[in-house]
Amino acid sequence: RSIRLYKAVVSTQSGHYGRGVLNYINHYFIQSNLRMTPPPMELCVGLDKGHKVTKLPKRERPSHRKGKRSKRVKLIRDVVREVSGFSPYERRVMELLKVNRDKRALKFCKKRLGTHKRGKKKREEMIGCLQAQRKAQAAQA
């Protein structure tokens, strides 16, 4: 409704007033239209344009689950670790950690595994294994 009024004012007043007044009228009507929010309807332009729909909840993507260890995989890896034990380089890392050579153990892991991140992860794993062994020995004694 105010748009029609605006067009009528501009068309009737354009001959009598200069550009400054028309700019003022233009600014006033645009600002008043921005303040008045129209009822939600299907408009083809504007901030709320388009057909109104209810949003569905988003499902978790498979890529977001990547790397999460399942119970089955954990069980299998625990059984394999229990049966086969530690590899020679892992035993060497554990020896380095026993004598408080953490940095040297990290460098050794890094060289064997290829990246700094993998080396840190393996060192933390070996620290956890050593702590578990100490707990088991304390429980036996």
Side-chain angles (χ1 to χ4, degrees):
R1 191 167 133 220
S2 59
I3 297 284
R4 267 189 252 130
L5 180 65
Y6 161 70
K7 287 182 180 175
V9 168
V10 169
S11 64
T12 57
Q13 302 295 335
S14 59
H16 300 289
Y17 297 109
R19 187 170 274 218
V21 175
L22 290 177
N23 283 342
Y24 173 76
I25 294 169
N26 187 9
H27 176 75
Y28 171 76
F29 277 103
I30 288 173
Q31 290 302 318
S32 64
N33 282 336
L34 287 177
R35 272 186 247 118
M36 293 187 307
T37 54
M41 48 185 161
E42 296 182 9
L43 296 173
C44 60
V45 291
L47 293 173
D48 295 321
K49 68 178 180 179
H51 181 66
K52 298 292 174 252
V53 294
T54 56
K55 286 193 175 182
L56 294 172
K58 290 192 176 180
R59 290 184 297 176
E60 186 184 24
R61 292 182 176 206
S63 61
H64 291 192
R65 288 193 309 265
K66 186 176 180 196
K68 191 175 181 181
R69 187 172 294 166
S70 64
K71 295 176 191 174
R72 181 174 178 271
V73 171
K74 186 179 184 313
L75 176 69
I76 290 169
R77 287 186 184 173
D78 288 344
V79 169
V80 169
R81 172 70 74 188
E82 196 175 318
V83 171
S84 62
F86 295 100
S87 63
Y89 90 93
E90 288 175 334
R91 284 197 290 263
R92 183 168 172 189
V93 169
M94 289 170 97
E95 290 300 320
L96 288 168
L97 290 170
K98 281 180 186 173
V99 292
N100 292 329
R101 301 286 304 272
D102 292 13
K103 192 170 182 180
R104 173 59 60 187
L106 176 61
K107 285 180 81 171
F108 182 71
C109 286
K110 196 166 105 171
K111 187 171 183 185
R112 289 297 163 101
L113 297 172
T115 66
H116 184 70
K117 198 172 185 180
R118 289 177 189 168
K120 286 199 307 186
K121 192 173 180 183
K122 180 57 79 171
R123 182 180 66 174
E124 293 305 314
E125 183 186 334
M126 293 295 107
I127 288 171
C129 289
L130 280 173
Q131 288 173 349
Q133 286 177 357
R134 287 186 188 130
K135 279 184 183 178
Q137 286 176 351
Q140 284 180 351

